[in-house]
Each structure stands twice: as C-alpha cells, then as structure tokens.
Amino acid sequence: MGASVGLALARAGIEVLLQDRDPEALAEAVSVGAGVARTPASPPPALVVVAVPPSAAGAALDLELRRWPKATVTDLTSVKAVPIAQALALAGDPARLVGGHPMAGREVSGPGAARADLFDDRLWVLTPTAETDPARLASVVALVETCGGLPLVLDPASHDRAVALTSHTPQLLASLLAARLAEADEGDVAVSGQGLRDVTRVAGSDPVLWTEILGANAGPVADILDRLASDLVGVRDALRSAADLNRTGADASVPLEAVTAVLRAGNEGRARVPDKHGGRGAAEYVVVPVVIADRAGQLGRLFAVAGEAGVSIEDVRIEHTVGRLAAVVELSVVPGAAAALTDALEVGGWTVRA
Amino acid sequence: MGASVGLALARAGIEVLLQDRDPEALAEAVSVGAGVARTPASPPPALVVVAVPPSAAGAALDLELRRWPKATVTDLTSVKAVPIAQALALAGDPARLVGGHPMAGREVSGPGAARADLFDDRLWVLTPTAETDPARLASVVALVETCGGLPLVLDPASHDRAVALTSHTPQLLASLLAARLAEADEGDVAVSGQGLRDVTRVAGSDPVLWTEILGANAGPVADILDRLASDLVGVRDALRSAADLNRTGADASVPLEAVTAVLRAGNEGRARVPDKHGGRGAAEYVVVPVVIADRAGQLGRLFAVAGEAGVSIEDVRIEHTVGRLAAVVELSVVPGAAAALTDALEVGGWTVRA
C-alpha cells in the first residue's frame, strides 16, 4: 500500500523518496515508478507516510517523528488507537502525528501489486489526537486528496470501534461459521445455497494478516463479541425451549418471540448498510431476474439489450444451481427503469421471471 | 411453491387437481395454469403434494393420508423431522408417507409468483422413514424428476441437521450481526465495505417466515449454536487477554494463537462450500478485475468483448465505492481463459487491474 501512495503522489507530480528495510521491495517500488530511493544526500521530507504492519506501527511512527524534527508523520495502518498510544508514549512530538487508514484493502500486496488509482474516491480515515497541530492535519488532508481519496476525520477510538463492527467482527463471524463446515459431513455441506456462500465469503482471508489486525484491535472487537455472545446464547436458549415444547406437542410461540425480535432487528440493521454507491439503500433497487443459457456471449447480448434500452445496471448477480445448464442473472436497476428493461428483454426473446 | 409444482407437472402433461383453503389463492392457481380445482366428482389422487407452512405440515400430512387411503403423500416443507414425527404419531399409514423439500426458495410467494421452471436442476431432498414403502418413494422420485428436480434421499434428521448448518444458522448469524448495526452510531456504519454487505445480505429476510422455519428446526439449530457460542466465547476471551497484554506493552501472541486457529479452520470450511456450479470450488476460478465507467452500455460492451474472445464468464461482481463514478467489475473465469480475456479487454481499450 505504501507503493500505491507513492504512485498516486507521483501521478500528481509530487517528489517521493522511498525507504524499505527490504532492498528488493525498495528496488521493486522504484521500478514501478512509486518514487526514488532516499539517500543520505536526499533533502529531509516534509511529510512521512509509514506503511508497516499494525504491530510495528507505534515504534515506526515514533522513530520517524524523532528522525525528522520538522516533518508531519502519518501511517496507513488499519487500526489506530494502540499504535498511536504507543507512539505518544514514546519520545516523539505528538503535534506532528496524524494517524491514517485508507479504506482500500486488497487481497494482494507488495510493490508489484501497487496501483496509482487504489485510493480514488475511497474513504481515507484520519485520526488526529487532541495534541495534533491543525496545520499538520490539513497537510495530511491535502495528501489524501492528492491521492484521490475522500478524507474522513475520526478520533482513534471511534475509528477502531467502527471497523471492529463493520469489518473485524464480520470477518470473525464468517470464519466461525465456516469453521463449523470444516468438520461437517460431506452430505451436509452439499445441501447449500447462495446464503451460505455470501455469509462465508470473507472466511477465505489470510489467517496471519487477520490475526495481526484482530490482535491490534482486540479490545473493541471483544466488546462487540460480548454483546453478540449474549444475543447468540439468548437465541440458543429460546430455540432449546421451543424444541422442548415441540417435543411435547405444546405451543412454542412464546420462546420464539425472542427469535423474531433478533430477526426484526437484523432487518433494521441490514437497511442501514450502505450500498455499493454509498448512499442509496439496497432496498431502493428493483431486481429483474433473467434466464440465460450459461455460455459465452449470452451475458454480452443481455447487457447490450439493456444498454440499447438506455437502462443503467446498478448491480448484477449470477445465480447458478447445482448441475444446472441455464442460469438466472439478477439485474438491479432503479425502480423507474424496471419496466423498460423488462420490455426490452422480452422483445429480445429473453425470459424475465416474475 | 405448490402452484409451481402444479405448473411443472402440467408442463409434463400430468393431470393436477388443486385444493386451497383460501378460495382466492385457489382461483389464482387455476388461472395461472397450475391445474383444475378439485370437486367432489374428481377421481381420488394417486399422489398428494402438501404445501403448507412447517407448523401445519404434520397435521396436514396425516389428514391427507387418512383422506386418501391409496395415495402416496409428500410435502414441500423446509424442515422434516418434526412434521414427519407428528404425522407418524397420528393415525395415518406411515408406509405411504415420503417427506420432501425442494431446495428452490424464493423471496416472493403465492400462486401469482409460481413458475414451471422453479425446480429445474435444483436439489429436491426426499426423506423416507424406515416405514416408507420403497415403491412409494420411487413414485415421489418420479414426481421430482418430472418437475425437473434432482432427487436426493436423506433421513429426516440428516436433512434437518444439514439445513441447520448451511441455511438456518447462517441466517441467524447474519441477523445477529445486522442487529448490532441497528443500534450503532451513523458514523460507524458509514465505514463499511463489501465484506459487511456479503455477511449481512440474508439479514433482510422475512422475520415471520424465518421464525417459523427456525422454530420447526429448533433442536438442530440450537445444537450448532451451542458449539458456535463456545467458539465465539473462546475467541472473545483470547482477544480480551490480548487487549490486556497490549495495554501493558507485553507480547500478545500466545492468546492470539486461538484466533489464528479459528481463521485457519474458516479457510478450510470455506473451501468446502460448493460454488454456483455445485462442484468446482470458488478458488478454482481466476478473477479478472476491469475498470468501467458506471453508465449504461459499458457492461454490454465488456461482455461483448468477452463473448467475441470465446471466454465464458462464470461469475461477475460489481464493486463500487462510496462516491465513486467508475466501478471495478470482477469477472471470474477458468484459469486457462484469464490471459485471453485480459488480452482481449486490453486490446479493446479496457483497464485490467493487476
């Protein structure tokens, strides 16, 4: 990610000096155009961007603050409170420290995977402390904007609480559920559908990287798991009571009220998740399901018809089924466009499902 | 779903007699072509398909077994052990009872949403008991195949354990996580990405319907929640220890080993989730990410290029970001096709990301 910052700044004509404790990574970053290698003859930097794993961030921030007595120092670490507290506890000047976290994760890493456009239109959280000089914050805001990012200022604890809820806990829940599949019978796993695929998708993430992230944000994640465990046990107990009542043929509706309450709260929470455009809720789109034969070219013709009808496809999902030759493509469009799209597709010979 | 069975059978030229306690629903099912209304003059059925909610299934199966002393009786209910045990505890003939569950859920219901192709190439689980006459099972297998479905025979308890793991527990975890979002600060929810959208997608489901499903499969779901709660508390405790060690500046790597173990087991379990084609693991595809301007027509041109290159797109996801005008489309293809697709796209002027 450090090399991507270099590329994004170089794109804007900013002079970037690179340093890496791994000479090969440094050479690769230089070769992709992320900047030039810093030498003893290089001028002192005005702004230092620290790109290290969470466990190394506190010490690295402190080191750079002390090494460059006039520079503003920021970082790219995905957790903020612990590294910043570590840096503040050391000798560096807290007025020049502005924590940062670009929300632009990628599954691949290293300078070879760097991209100048990685931050374009992405949120980039900045976490000044009470001791941060406002002029230093302004210069990091300018850095973010130069890189194409959207600066969002939060205090370090608020940032960590937010990502604990929206990123770190979802990762853990997906892994905990998928871990149950690891030991299940083959036949049990075969009977599965889109819901399971969606919920477990992020369970494929790198365990070493995620252990470090979760370890660095351990307190806020543990706080959420406390409440989740309590809710989970409540649902478990309600279902156990219902099972006992079912067995005796009695009415299980009273314990099941607790289950309904969780499902309703889930509806509410789901409605608050920003959609891919960051504003409009997913519920504000209409899904037009179209049957296609599962072969090269069909998708192209489908989208060509949509394009000719002047309809913008906001999202698309392909729903295959086990052993199926045909597939259903779900096209999401704004409500006003659904009728025009359906008409255009039906005129073109497509089957639109009710 | 009952009307869809009627349509699928009618498509195959089978005579279907319909009955519904709601006269309007019956009239609608007849009007869409799912069959004709049964009258006192109608011949006795050879096979009865009961399509009622889980809470009514046991009594309805028993009623039909007693009403039609020669008919085979099956159902479409998404849980099996409780309704079948209820029916067997009543007076009906257990040899003629074959439980069924087509894995073809839809978010809409009622005869107006019925489709003849709903079951095509979908798994349709059948759950005979030790008392079921094999000839009766064979006739329900023939029904499933006539409807286009893929019959899979399981005992009722195995079916319920499988769907508890792959459908009912994922639903609950998604709802429990989304419920935490319902009470979060607005700013916390704003900092979210694709992972949260994926994990919470099914939390939008109908609370009343799902309470009934979960209530009817309460025991098996509670068994899984037992183990999940224990794993969750283990991770919570490990993170709490790590947070305490972090605070004192000590090494937190020992408690975090438990977190790594869960993440690794999650990798293993995720690799077992069947992909949309039912066989090939998701990991066996290569993702080609392409940058597009977010407007009508672009997707059509993109897929047209893929089609001209003879590349079959196995899956597609559109990744937007907050405030972003451009989007990244992730095309999944078999590994051998990635280079050809990338070349064709780059020749066509598209930006394929590294």
Side-chain angles (χ1 to χ4, degrees):
Chain A
M1 194 171 274
S4 291
V5 174
L7 281 172
L9 293 172
R11 178 180 69 173
I14 310 284
E15 185 186 355
V16 180
L17 302 174
L18 300 169
Q19 175 176 329
D20 199 302
R21 65 176 183 183
D22 174 358
E24 281 184 36
L26 176 62
E28 194 174 6
V30 170
S31 77
V32 300
V36 297
R38 198 180 64 78
T39 69
S42 300
L47 200 155
V48 176
V49 179
V50 170
V52 298
S55 58
L61 288 167
D62 175 67
L63 181 70
E64 299 302 318
L65 285 170
R66 286 185 290 116
R67 180 194 250 167
W68 308 110
K70 295 190 172 171
T72 301
V73 176
T74 187
D75 72 327
L76 309 174
T77 316
S78 60
V79 293
K80 301 267 58 88
V82 168
I84 287 174
Q86 285 169 344
L88 293 181
L90 297 171
D93 172 9
R96 293 185 284 113
L97 176 60
V98 184
H101 175 206
M103 311 295 285
R106 302 191 68 199
E107 285 170 24
V108 287
S109 63
R115 293 202 325 258
D117 65 352
L118 184 63
F119 311 106
D120 284 358
D121 300 307
R122 294 270 182 174
L123 285 181
W124 185 322
V125 178
L126 298 177
T127 59
T129 67
E131 299 175 83
T132 302
D133 174 355
R136 301 292 181 165
L137 172 60
S139 68
V140 183
V141 166
L143 170 91
V144 169
E145 289 173 342
T146 301
C147 289
L150 307 170
L152 175 67
V153 175
L154 294 174
D155 66 89
S158 296
H159 166 274
D160 287 0
R161 193 185 63 208
V163 294
L165 179 64
T166 62
S167 168
H168 303 170
T169 301
Q171 172 64 50
L172 269 177
L173 285 186
S175 295
L176 285 162
L177 175 62
R180 296 253 65 83
L181 299 171
E183 59 188 40
D185 290 351
E186 191 60 45
D188 288 6
V189 181
V191 180
S192 69
Q194 188 60 40
L196 185 68
R197 281 193 290 273
D198 285 342
V199 177
T200 59
R201 193 186 311 275
V202 293
S205 303
D206 176 13
V208 174
L209 172 67
W210 272 93
T211 298
E212 180 155 357
I213 293 170
L214 292 163
N217 200 23
V221 176
D223 289 345
I224 296 171
L225 295 188
D226 269 341
R227 296 193 290 276
L228 266 175
S230 156
D231 289 355
L232 183 64
V233 166
V235 169
R236 192 265 322 264
D237 292 347
L239 289 173
R240 194 66 80 196
S241 300
D244 292 343
L245 291 166
N246 281 344
R247 229 185 318 274
T248 63
D251 175 17
S253 61
V254 172
L256 290 175
E257 283 168 14
V259 177
T260 311
V262 165
L263 294 165
R264 283 197 202 286
N267 281 179
E268 255 181 78
R270 171 64 187 166
R272 297 187 71 193
V273 177
D275 82 340
K276 293 178 179 182
H277 298 274
R280 193 182 271 273
E284 293 177 51
Y285 294 115
V286 173
V287 172
V288 177
V290 190
V291 181
I292 65 161
D294 188 12
R295 57 188 164 83
Q298 279 281 57
L299 280 167
R301 286 192 284 278
L302 179 66
F303 286 100
V305 168
E308 283 156 20
V311 173
S312 178
I313 305 296
E314 304 296 334
D315 198 6
V316 56
R317 297 182 80 201
I318 301 180
E319 173 72 22
H320 294 262
T321 56
V322 176
R324 194 180 184 90
L325 293 175
V328 176
V329 178
E330 298 182 338
L331 303 173
S332 296
V333 299
V334 295
L341 177 61
T342 301
D343 287 353
L345 289 169
E346 287 178 343
V347 166
W350 303 87
T351 302
V352 177
R353 287 193 160 174
Chain B
M1 194 172 274
S4 291
V5 174
L7 280 172
L9 293 172
R11 178 180 68 171
I14 311 285
E15 186 186 353
V16 180
L17 302 173
L18 300 169
Q19 176 176 328
D20 199 302
R21 68 176 183 183
D22 173 358
E24 280 184 37
L26 176 60
E28 193 173 6
V30 170
S31 77
V32 300
V36 298
R38 198 179 65 76
T39 69
S42 301
L47 200 156
V48 177
V49 179
V50 170
V52 299
S55 59
L61 287 168
D62 175 68
L63 181 71
E64 298 302 319
L65 285 169
R66 286 185 288 115
R67 180 194 249 168
W68 308 109
K70 296 191 172 170
T72 301
V73 177
T74 188
D75 72 327
L76 309 174
T77 316
S78 60
V79 292
K80 302 265 58 85
V82 168
I84 287 174
Q86 286 170 344
L88 293 181
L90 298 170
D93 172 8
R96 294 187 283 111
L97 175 60
V98 183
H101 175 205
M103 311 295 286
R106 300 192 68 200
E107 284 171 24
V108 288
S109 63
R115 292 201 325 258
D117 65 354
L118 183 63
F119 311 105
D120 284 359
D121 299 307
R122 293 271 183 173
L123 286 181
W124 186 323
V125 178
L126 298 177
T127 59
T129 67
E131 300 176 83
T132 302
D133 174 356
R136 301 293 181 164
L137 172 60
S139 68
V140 184
V141 165
L143 170 91
V144 169
E145 289 173 342
T146 302
C147 288
L150 306 171
L152 175 68
V153 175
L154 293 174
D155 66 89
S158 296
H159 166 274
D160 286 1
R161 194 186 59 208
V163 295
L165 180 63
T166 62
S167 168
H168 304 171
T169 302
Q171 172 64 51
L172 270 177
L173 284 187
S175 294
L176 285 163
L177 175 62
R180 296 254 64 84
L181 299 171
E183 58 188 40
D185 290 353
E186 191 61 46
D188 289 6
V189 181
V191 180
S192 69
Q194 188 59 41
L196 184 69
R197 282 194 290 271
D198 284 342
V199 178
T200 59
R201 193 187 311 275
V202 295
S205 302
D206 177 12
V208 173
L209 172 66
W210 271 93
T211 298
E212 180 154 356
I213 293 171
L214 292 164
N217 200 23
V221 176
D223 289 344
I224 296 172
L225 295 188
D226 269 341
R227 296 192 292 275
L228 266 175
S230 157
D231 289 354
L232 183 64
V233 166
V235 169
R236 191 268 319 266
D237 291 346
L239 290 173
R240 194 67 79 196
S241 300
D244 292 344
L245 290 167
N246 282 343
R247 228 186 318 275
T248 62
D251 175 18
S253 60
V254 171
L256 290 175
E257 283 168 14
V259 177
T260 311
V262 164
L263 294 166
R264 284 197 202 284
N267 281 179
E268 255 181 77
R270 170 64 187 166
R272 298 187 70 194
V273 177
D275 82 340
K276 292 177 179 181
H277 298 274
R280 196 181 269 272
E284 293 178 52
Y285 294 116
V286 173
V287 172
V288 178
V290 191
V291 181
I292 65 161
D294 188 11
R295 57 188 163 82
Q298 279 282 58
L299 280 167
R301 285 192 284 278
L302 179 65
F303 287 100
V305 168
E308 283 155 21
V311 172
S312 178
I313 305 295
E314 304 297 334
D315 199 6
V316 55
R317 299 180 80 203
I318 301 180
E319 172 72 23
H320 293 261
T321 55
V322 176
R324 195 179 182 91
L325 293 175
V328 175
V329 178
E330 298 182 339
L331 303 174
S332 296
V333 298
V334 295
L341 177 61
T342 300
D343 287 352
L345 289 170
E346 287 179 343
V347 166
W350 303 88
T351 302
V352 177
R353 286 192 160 175

